[in-house]
């Protein structure tokens, strides 16, 4: 049973002017679609074909010989999580339980934001910045290339893609500008709050 490429949860123009239609077309329809298609080709006819993609990611992570398949599986999952981590009219600060938990675990929202910006800006090369729940505590982490927190027992609440393809058409080399914009205008705190409530 092939893993399906989920459609974007909003229109291709919905994140403008912060992320362009062109970026979303390339990023979703070319990059994300290619990861999904390569993952499906690699697991077709194997035991992994009938498992959830989360189970496949965890199984593949422990087998160095399957690193190529892991990369495509994790990137297929990471991108769907990333699309949901943004929304039109997003940005600003969370409310409710998530806001209280951020204050308790980071000291303040600003300290969280600083940690998240630093994680994204200092991820050398390609990767991801995350807000995760780790043993009951919120943490900011960063991962290289396709790696994701599912393989270390953490619960992902939110992610930001910092591969160049995520921002280059709109921000060129200015990754810090993309990161600030993500927090000011794009981040979907409702999604993070749902993930926290379900954890
Ligand atoms: Mn990407």
């Amino acid at each position: 049973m092939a893993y399906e490429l989920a459609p974007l949860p909003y229109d291709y123009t919905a994140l403008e002017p912060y992320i362009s239609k062109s970026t979303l077309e390339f990023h979703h329809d070319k990059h994300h679609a290619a990861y999904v298609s390569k993952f499906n080709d690699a697991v077709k006819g194997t035991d992994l074909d009938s498992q959830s993609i989360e189970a496949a990611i965890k199984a593949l992570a422990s087998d160095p010989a399957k690193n190529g398949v892991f990369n495509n599986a994790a990137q297929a999952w990471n991108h769907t999580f990333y699309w949901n981590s943004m929304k039109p009219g997003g940005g600003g600060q969370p409310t409710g339980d998530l806001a209280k938990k951020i204050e308790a675990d980071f000291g303040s929202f600003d300290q969280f934001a600083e940690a998240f910006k630093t994680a994204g800006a200092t991820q050398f090369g390609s990767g991801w910045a995350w807000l995760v729940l780790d043993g009951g505590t919120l943490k900011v982490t960063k991962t290289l290339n396709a790696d994701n927190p599912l393989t270390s027992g953490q619960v992902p609440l939110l992610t930001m893609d910092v591969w160049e393809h995520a921002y280059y058409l709109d921000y060129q080399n200015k990754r810090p500008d993309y990161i600030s914009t993500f927090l000011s205008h794009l981040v979907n705190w409702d999604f993070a709050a749902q993930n926290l409530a379900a954890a």
Side-chain angles (χ1 to χ4, degrees):
M1 197 174 67
Y3 177 70
E4 281 188 35
L5 173 66
L8 273 183
Y10 29 75
D11 191 79
Y12 288 88
T13 58
L15 303 183
E16 291 188 333
Y18 308 114
I19 292 184
S20 63
K21 178 177 185 237
S22 190
T23 290
L24 288 182
E25 284 174 344
F26 277 103
H27 201 174
H28 179 273
D29 300 359
K30 306 293 183 192
H31 292 278
H32 190 186
Y35 295 127
V36 170
S37 141
K38 286 176 187 169
F39 168 65
N40 283 326
D41 288 348
V43 299
K44 198 172 182 183
T46 74
D47 293 349
L48 293 177
D49 206 6
S50 55
Q51 295 186 22
S52 71
I53 193 162
E54 291 85 357
I57 287 168
K58 288 174 191 169
L60 289 161
S62 56
D63 186 349
K66 300 270 176 65
N67 193 244
V69 190
F70 168 81
N71 285 339
N72 284 304
Q75 285 293 79
W77 188 93
N78 291 350
H79 279 88
T80 299
F81 201 78
Y82 170 62
W83 307 133
N84 285 303
S85 293
M86 301 186 288
K87 67 172 187 179
Q93 297 196 15
T95 55
D97 289 346
L98 178 57
K100 286 181 199 147
K101 182 96 179 118
I102 285 176
E103 270 182 36
D105 292 352
F106 292 96
S108 66
F109 177 81
D110 287 348
Q111 282 176 276
F112 152 76
E114 208 47 49
F116 193 78
K117 285 180 187 176
T118 300
T122 59
Q123 174 52 49
F124 187 76
S126 297
W128 301 81
W130 303 84
L131 173 64
V132 302
L133 190 65
D134 184 7
T137 304
L138 293 180
K139 289 182 183 166
V140 164
T141 64
K142 57 184 177 178
T143 59
L144 178 66
N145 295 330
D147 287 351
N148 84 28
L150 295 173
T151 62
S152 41
Q154 297 168 327
V155 181
L157 303 185
L158 189 76
T159 196
M160 176 176 65
D161 190 343
V162 294
W163 285 56
E164 272 193 348
H165 66 223
Y167 61 85
Y168 205 84
L169 292 179
D170 300 320
Y171 298 88
Q172 290 76 50
N173 61 320
K174 297 189 282 280
R175 189 193 286 187
D177 291 2
Y178 157 71
I179 293 171
S180 296
T181 303
F182 180 93
L183 286 174
S184 305
H185 299 288
L186 296 169
V187 61
N188 182 357
W189 286 119
D190 298 337
F191 178 64
Q194 284 165 23
N195 291 327
L196 178 64

